[in-house]
Amino acid sequence: MFLPSINTTGEDLYEVVVETPWLSTIYSPGLQKSLTRIPGVMKFVKFASAAVLAVIGGQVGADSSFTPARPPAVPLAVRNPYLNVWLNGQENGPHAILPGQWPKFWATGIQGWQGFVKVDGEVYNWMGGAPGAPNVDQLSLEYTSTRSIFNMSVADKVDMRVEFLSPVYPDDLRRQSVPFSYINVAVKSRDGKSHRVQVYSDVSGEWASGDTGAVVEWDTSSNSGVRSHRFWKQKETVFQEDGENAAWGTWYWSTGDQSGVSYKIGADVDVRGQFLQEGSLDNRVDNLFRAVNDRWPVFALSRDLGTVKGGWAETVFTIGVAQRDSIQWVGEAAEPQSVPSLWASYFQENDLVPFFYHDYDNATHAANRLDLRIQRDSVAAAGQDYATITTLSLRQTFGALAYTGTPDNPLIFLKEISSNSDIQTVDVIFPAFPILLYLNPNLLKYLLEPLLLNDRYHYPNDFAQHDLGRFPRALGYADGNDEHMPLEECGNMIIMMLAYSQMKHDDEYLSANWDLLVKWAQYMINDAKIPASQLSTDDFAGHLANQTNLAIKGIIALQAMSEVATRAGYEDESSNYSTLAKEYLEFWTDHGVNAEAGHSMLQYDNKDSYGLLYNIYPDKLLGLDFIPQEIYDMQSDFYLKTQKEYGVILDTRNVWTKVDWELFAAAVAKPDTQNMFISKIARWINETPTWRAFTDLYDVNTGGYPGGLQFTARPVVGGTFSLLALQKKT
């Protein structure tokens, strides 16, 4: 395609010949959005529609195509740790096919979400596993950073386009705090003839609880032009979970209260059966509240779109959960406190659904801009394969975040997800922090603040804490009995805090937290040169003494403390840190590098060991220019020599690798090595037999889960933005 250079002195008009299919998805559901302006950039771009691209590309057929790749699982509604729904692939079966499969919560429990469409009196299934109708023909799946778009054919009569939009607002806390997501269903004639079309979708009580024996209650209402079904667990337990699902909160399934809309709440077979028979619903509500698995209550909405022919007819649904109290946290207080969801500072709960529904146009424009920005920047940084990776990572990263507090004091809490669901895990924030630096460094500050306060008031150890408990209870460890990763977390905190300060020119942040920074630096003085037997972030590999990759993180963090001291107003202490860092680096080079073989070692003086030296990335990111360039070049050459089918092993203890650390290594590697890492990961995404949300840990030879470990849906994939963060910084 042709994209003009940015012209900041005038407003020039361009027409673009689109040659890459992803551009068809940038503007909302199948409709041509011509001459759409990107704010802040004085240019205009004209995009072709998906239908035009399908004809040009010749991709319409019986087998679905995938753009830019066939992901292991497709994000559908992914906005926070509890609204986190995916279309999983099937184990040893097809991937990324929407008709006929149940969407799943990230923890793999079914989230009953059913879709039917009736065309000229015949009903077809476009989503979900309910019986009673044949499946539509899925032609293609396209994903962008914020969207998953399925293009379908219904009996060769009607084209159908189903767009799942989970917007991300890096700079708009008000909108980002609303844990809701959109689905837009659009249809038009495929054969040029007129057709009568009715669209149906329901959600089940499974959304309200991971315990199918739990009783749910419900009601329905119309408010400000929006028809909404509301349902919740009868016996809520705040700050508790049912199999990773929230055990509290109210769910809302909604659409516009407009011509052709009908609704029904009742047993799944009755409600779905009525639409299968009639093509509409009777606006009745079964008020016999009962368990999720007792005649499976579903909450259904349908719309008669009338006769469709030339143009697209569309209808928008929204799904979301409202929890006024979001997190339990100690903070500065002596006892645990309830921290409200941030949206509660902006909205009454009754206003959430109407606001979100009527904000759809704004959401699509914001998503357009962010989709284009990430695609454009990723391609410019490292090509389309890199964009394939970053665009799959955005929703997954932000889907692990809960926004709380007040506009004056926002706090973000992170759920580790899947590995053990800790809250505010420092060595999970660390691999994710490149995406935050790239999009909005303030988000990193809001994530670190709960850790800083808890460490100052409630944590007794002389090193940084590992986490604050298990989500959603950030109670900390007043006895100091967390999972100890002392050198890992001390280094992570110093590096991230300096990175934020540099990006935001906020030296006061460092001086205000000088007491903690000095404490952690002292631990590194004692331990970074020759690390004791301890865990690193790769704790699944076990304890290990003399870890060189861990040592180099601590040594770089000591060098970073030299700049921290200057910025914080303690310039007289700056040289002490840099002197020690240089001394430690000399020792590290003598004992941590196998010069003959041309690689760093996993352990000091263990010449047969090696691994990804991903912890040198912060040296470049922080602009320290501390690690000699020959170390970077040596590692780049070695990675090329040791590459496997889908990447480079994490270390010689196993045949696993990690996506986040590979991209940290790639960001500071030579171009050929960088391209190797990126092309292999992009190919892995397209070929992996793994079937749950983007795992960060996989077997480099088979591409499968290693030893049954399923590190899926975790926010650490924010580390794939390592190149973009580095480019923004430099």
Side-chain angles (χ1 to χ4, degrees):
M1 67 177 178
F2 167 72
L3 280 175
S5 59
I6 297 174
N7 178 355
T8 59
T9 59
E11 297 188 356
D12 299 325
L13 184 65
Y14 298 90
E15 291 206 359
V16 179
V17 177
V18 180
E19 296 175 351
T20 52
W22 72 266
L23 283 172
S24 69
T25 72
I26 290 295
Y27 287 84
S28 69
L31 307 175
Q32 292 191 35
K33 301 289 186 182
S34 301
L35 308 180
T36 301
R37 183 176 178 181
I38 306 168
V41 179
M42 299 300 188
K43 63 179 181 180
F44 292 84
V45 182
K46 184 175 182 179
F47 294 94
S49 71
V52 172
L53 291 170
V55 172
I56 294 173
Q59 302 216 347
V60 174
D63 296 325
S64 181
S65 63
F66 305 99
T67 304
R70 183 233 65 188
V74 184
L76 299 181
V78 180
R79 286 277 282 160
N80 82 354
Y82 297 129
L83 180 59
N84 207 293
V85 181
W86 300 75
L87 176 67
N88 286 357
Q90 295 184 29
E91 193 171 8
N92 303 315
H95 284 57
I97 304 299
L98 186 64
Q101 293 194 60
W102 289 119
K104 303 283 184 70
F105 186 54
W106 70 259
T108 75
I110 289 174
Q111 302 277 262
W113 205 355
Q114 179 61 43
F116 293 121
V117 60
K118 196 166 193 174
V119 178
D120 298 333
E122 298 294 327
V123 183
Y124 303 87
N125 185 332
W126 55 266
M127 174 176 64
N135 295 335
V136 303
D137 183 13
Q138 180 176 310
L139 304 177
S140 67
L141 163 69
E142 308 167 58
Y143 70 78
T144 69
S145 292
T146 63
R147 295 175 167 94
S148 298
I149 304 172
F150 297 85
N151 293 296
M152 304 167 175
S153 170
V154 185
D156 284 330
K157 293 181 177 181
V158 169
D159 281 324
M160 189 171 187
R161 185 174 175 88
V162 181
E163 175 184 293
F164 296 87
L165 169 62
S166 294
V168 174
Y169 303 96
D171 300 312
D172 188 340
L173 290 178
R174 176 170 169 261
R175 286 185 166 90
Q176 185 61 33
S177 71
V178 180
F180 282 65
S181 189
Y182 299 100
I183 176 173
N184 184 307
V185 180
V187 295
K188 72 172 183 177
S189 176
R190 181 176 179 84
D191 59 9
K193 300 178 182 178
S194 297
H195 300 284
R196 284 295 306 272
V197 178
Q198 295 87 34
V199 172
Y200 167 100
S201 187
D202 70 51
V203 297
S204 77
E206 289 157 300
W207 292 69
S209 176
D211 174 10
T212 59
V215 175
V216 292
E217 298 185 3
W218 54 78
D219 61 27
T220 188
S221 62
S222 180
N223 180 16
S224 302
V226 181
R227 166 61 56 181
S228 188
H229 294 321
R230 189 170 68 118
F231 57 103
W232 59 95
K233 186 179 177 184
Q234 186 181 73
K235 295 182 179 179
E236 293 186 329
T237 48
V238 180
F239 308 130
Q240 299 293 330
E241 295 182 337
D242 297 330
E244 303 286 354
N245 300 72
W248 83 106
T250 302
W251 288 85
Y252 294 87
W253 171 237
S254 311
T255 193
D257 198 354
Q258 55 195 309
S259 174
V261 168
S262 59
Y263 62 88
K264 189 176 180 67
I265 298 176
D268 59 347
V269 293
D270 296 337
V271 175
R272 293 165 184 164
Q274 184 172 102
F275 181 82
L276 291 173
Q277 185 67 31
E278 305 294 337
S280 63
L281 302 171
D282 61 12
N283 299 340
R284 293 185 177 181
V285 175
D286 171 0
N287 285 316
L288 182 60
F289 303 143
R290 55 188 182 271
V292 172
N293 60 10
D294 181 0
R295 289 167 293 143
W296 302 97
V298 299
F299 313 96
L301 298 166
S302 72
R303 187 176 177 204
D304 188 339
L305 294 173
T307 300
V308 301
K309 188 176 181 182
W312 290 93
E314 63 185 63
T315 196
V316 174
F317 302 94
T318 67
I319 183 71
V321 60
Q323 298 167 309
R324 181 162 292 276
D325 291 322
S326 179
I327 297 291
Q328 190 177 35
W329 181 48
V330 179
E332 299 177 59
E335 299 295 332
Q337 308 291 313
S338 296
V339 185
S341 295
L342 183 58
W343 61 259
S345 293
Y346 299 106
F347 306 99
Q348 295 295 318
E349 186 170 328
N350 288 341
D351 298 329
L352 268 180
V353 171
F355 167 79
F356 188 77
Y357 180 84
H358 292 303
D359 199 46
Y360 179 68
D361 283 346
N362 178 80
T364 59
H365 288 305
N368 294 343
R369 292 190 293 270
L370 188 57
D371 283 349
L372 183 58
R373 173 187 171 187
I374 293 174
Q375 174 71 25
R376 178 193 60 206
D377 290 355
S378 298
V379 170
Q384 177 54 45
D385 278 349
Y386 186 47
T388 296
I389 301 166
T390 56
T391 52
L392 188 59
S393 302
L394 180 75
R395 280 172 285 176
Q396 180 166 320
T397 303
F398 277 79
L401 306 180
Y403 288 73
T404 74
T406 65
D408 294 332
N409 186 28
L411 300 172
I412 301 176
F413 289 90
L414 172 145
K415 183 170 185 174
E416 185 172 329
I417 295 188
S418 78
S419 40
N420 62 7
S421 289
D422 283 346
I423 187 169
Q424 229 65 0
T425 311
V426 175
D427 59 291
V428 171
I429 297 174
F430 181 75
F433 91 112
I435 196 174
L436 306 177
L437 292 180
Y438 167 70
L439 290 174
N440 180 2
N442 286 330
L443 302 179
L444 177 60
K445 179 183 179 182
Y446 305 149
L447 266 170
L448 297 182
E449 187 63 17
L451 289 159
L452 296 173
L453 288 173
N454 194 80
D455 200 305
R456 178 170 289 112
Y457 292 102
H458 299 290
Y459 191 64
N461 295 326
D462 59 356
F463 48 80
Q465 62 211 319
H466 172 265
D467 64 271
L468 291 182
R470 196 179 191 282
F471 197 94
R473 304 176 71 211
L475 304 184
Y477 299 89
D479 59 0
N481 192 28
D482 56 333
E483 182 181 18
H484 292 172
M485 295 184 187
L487 185 54
E488 175 75 45
E489 311 304 23
C490 288
N492 290 341
M493 290 299 292
I494 290 172
I495 289 165
M496 290 190 289
M497 291 173 72
L498 177 57
Y500 162 79
S501 174
Q502 289 178 338
M503 284 278 198
K504 297 298 294 185
H505 307 287
D506 185 359
D507 295 343
E508 174 60 28
Y509 179 68
L510 300 178
S511 60
N513 291 290
W514 177 249
D515 57 332
L516 295 175
L517 291 159
V518 168
K519 180 177 73 170
W520 300 330
Q522 185 59 50
Y523 187 88
M524 291 187 299
I525 290 172
N526 297 336
D527 197 53
K529 185 177 181 180
I530 306 176
S533 179
Q534 60 188 277
L535 294 173
S536 73
T537 181
D538 305 318
D539 55 352
F540 49 84
H543 287 73
L544 190 67
N546 303 326
Q547 295 182 63
T548 57
N549 194 37
L550 192 55
I552 203 65
K553 173 176 282 182
I555 296 168
I556 289 171
L558 276 178
Q559 181 65 22
M561 275 298 295
S562 177
E563 181 173 338
V564 168
T566 299
R567 287 175 171 266
Y570 298 88
E571 191 168 0
D572 56 332
E573 300 187 35
S574 175
S575 62
N576 296 332
Y577 292 116
S578 61
T579 298
L580 281 173
K582 290 172 185 175
E583 175 193 325
Y584 288 9
L585 180 60
E586 290 179 7
F587 179 89
W588 184 93
T589 304
D590 290 341
H591 294 273
V593 174
N594 184 337
E596 294 179 359
H599 62 77
S600 65
M601 293 176 271
L602 175 64
Q603 287 179 291
Y604 285 142
D605 299 323
N606 184 350
K607 291 190 174 183
D608 293 330
S609 67
Y610 58 84
L612 290 173
L613 194 63
Y614 55 82
N615 275 331
I616 58 176
Y617 169 74
D619 175 54
K620 293 288 188 184
L621 181 70
L622 298 175
L624 301 177
D625 295 325
F626 176 64
I627 303 297
Q629 185 60 40
E630 52 262 32
I631 297 294
Y632 292 98
D633 295 341
M634 174 190 71
Q635 290 300 116
S636 285
D637 295 339
F638 185 69
Y639 297 147
L640 284 177
K641 295 175 185 176
T642 57
Q643 61 181 292
K644 305 299 182 185
E645 184 71 14
Y646 292 109
V648 177
I649 61 171
L650 181 62
D651 60 56
T652 44
R653 290 176 289 182
N654 51 57
V655 293
W656 312 334
T657 195
K658 287 190 89 271
V659 171
D660 45 356
W661 302 143
E662 285 195 299
L663 266 297
F664 270 47
V668 296
K670 293 179 179 179
D672 287 349
T673 304
Q674 185 178 101
N675 291 336
M676 178 272 292
F677 276 117
I678 289 170
S679 64
K680 285 183 178 291
I681 294 170
R683 186 163 64 86
W684 172 83
I685 288 173
N686 203 49
E687 297 176 0
T688 176
T690 64
W691 49 273
R692 293 173 61 191
F694 196 177
T695 177
D696 55 286
L697 181 70
Y698 64 86
D699 187 307
V700 293
N701 296 315
T702 68
Y705 295 121
L709 293 172
Q710 298 181 352
F711 284 14
T712 63
R714 300 204 311 159
V716 300
V717 297
T720 63
F721 282 71
S722 56
L723 279 74
L724 296 182
L726 187 59
Q727 289 194 358
K728 178 178 179 179
K729 178 65 167 55
T730 56

